[in-house]
Amino acid sequence: MAGNKRQIQEINAGSMADIAFLLLIFFLVATTMNTDTGLMRMLPPMPPENQQQEEIKVKERNLFLVLISGSGNIMAGVLGKQEQIQLSQLKDMAKEFITNPMDDENLPEKVDREIDMADGSKWTYPVSEGVVSLQTTRDTGYQAYIMVQNELTRAFNEVRDDVAQRKFGAKFSELNEDQRNAVSKAVPLKISEAEPRNIKK
């Protein structure tokens, strides 16, 4: 009776490797990869080695400071008059600074500049002398930095749209290359990024 025990049948594991391989292929195809967030910026060319670096001085009224703290708080405003703001307020504040619609003496100066047009004519436009200075601390988060950069870029883009609409009757993105170059000279993207600062708590 004891020798009549039923033998346990072995599991055929020959196809396990094929199944594991097919599952691996499935997950590789079905999984989405997060893309890195970045900024589209064209850096100026490197100056010649023997060229002396001149310190550029900017008048206080022409400087709009934006500071992002490590906790993500945003301080913004003209030098000496910064206040804590929400991210949603930044674009409109930057637009008012760039355009200075009421010619406020506390906001940037405007200088009439002649811009060469494609047809050989000249276009005189009051170009703002304003510069947006973006500053961070050592522990500022990358996400907060990107969001602030996007809002500042949106402000410049909306001003360019307004100028393009008045001059050419179309949005900036709808203009041809020569027209876009002219509007870009009228509304230059002036965002200065200072070295991160160490701020004691």
Side-chain angles (χ1 to χ4, degrees):
M1 297 288 287
N4 198 17
K5 287 183 178 177
R6 296 173 63 188
Q7 291 184 349
I8 299 173
Q9 196 172 15
E10 293 183 4
I11 298 172
N12 182 8
S15 62
M16 285 294 196
D18 295 334
I19 293 171
F21 182 72
L22 288 172
L23 284 173
L24 179 63
I25 294 295
F26 171 77
F27 284 116
L28 284 173
V29 172
T31 305
T32 58
M33 304 293 282
N34 289 332
T35 56
D36 291 334
T37 306
L39 298 169
M40 292 292 292
R41 288 285 184 272
M42 182 175 286
L43 299 176
M46 287 288 290
E49 292 181 10
N50 56 357
Q51 181 179 339
Q52 292 183 348
Q53 298 294 320
E54 295 182 4
E55 186 178 344
I56 299 173
K57 295 183 179 179
V58 179
K59 291 183 180 179
E60 288 186 5
R61 66 177 285 189
N62 294 336
L63 196 60
F64 183 78
L65 297 176
V66 181
L67 173 64
I68 315 170
S69 71
S71 57
N73 293 327
I74 302 168
M75 296 285 291
V78 182
L79 191 63
K81 297 181 181 178
Q82 298 99 320
E83 56 183 318
Q84 186 168 335
I85 63 166
Q86 299 297 317
L87 181 66
S88 57
Q89 299 173 277
L90 182 59
K91 182 195 62 149
D92 291 333
M93 283 184 71
K95 276 182 70 174
E96 183 180 3
F97 173 81
I98 297 162
T99 56
N100 189 6
M102 305 301 291
D103 290 327
D104 188 336
E105 63 182 17
N106 296 314
L107 293 177
E109 302 167 290
K110 298 175 187 174
V111 177
D112 287 338
R113 291 209 167 89
E114 286 189 346
I115 299 168
D116 296 326
M117 304 298 289
D119 60 2
S121 63
K122 301 278 189 183
W123 172 34
T124 303
Y125 186 81
V127 178
S128 173
E129 294 289 288
V131 176
V132 177
S133 176
L134 177 57
Q135 299 180 358
T136 60
T137 58
R138 295 283 176 190
D139 55 347
T140 298
Y142 188 66
Q143 187 63 33
Y145 173 78
I146 289 289
M147 290 168 70
V148 168
Q149 272 277 6
N150 285 342
E151 289 301 300
L152 293 175
T153 305
R154 275 180 62 201
F156 279 95
N157 287 342
E158 287 188 11
V159 173
R160 285 179 174 179
D161 274 342
D162 293 341
V163 172
Q165 196 72 47
R166 289 198 306 269
K167 179 65 178 175
F168 300 107
K171 288 186 176 180
F172 181 76
S173 59
E174 299 168 356
L175 304 179
N176 62 42
E177 186 177 354
D178 291 327
Q179 292 170 334
R180 282 199 304 270
N181 287 338
V183 173
S184 296
K185 289 177 182 175
V187 188
L189 183 66
K190 294 182 181 178
I191 301 178
S192 168
E193 296 179 37
E195 285 290 320
R197 301 193 308 181
N198 287 319
I199 294 181
K200 294 181 181 178
K201 294 181 181 179

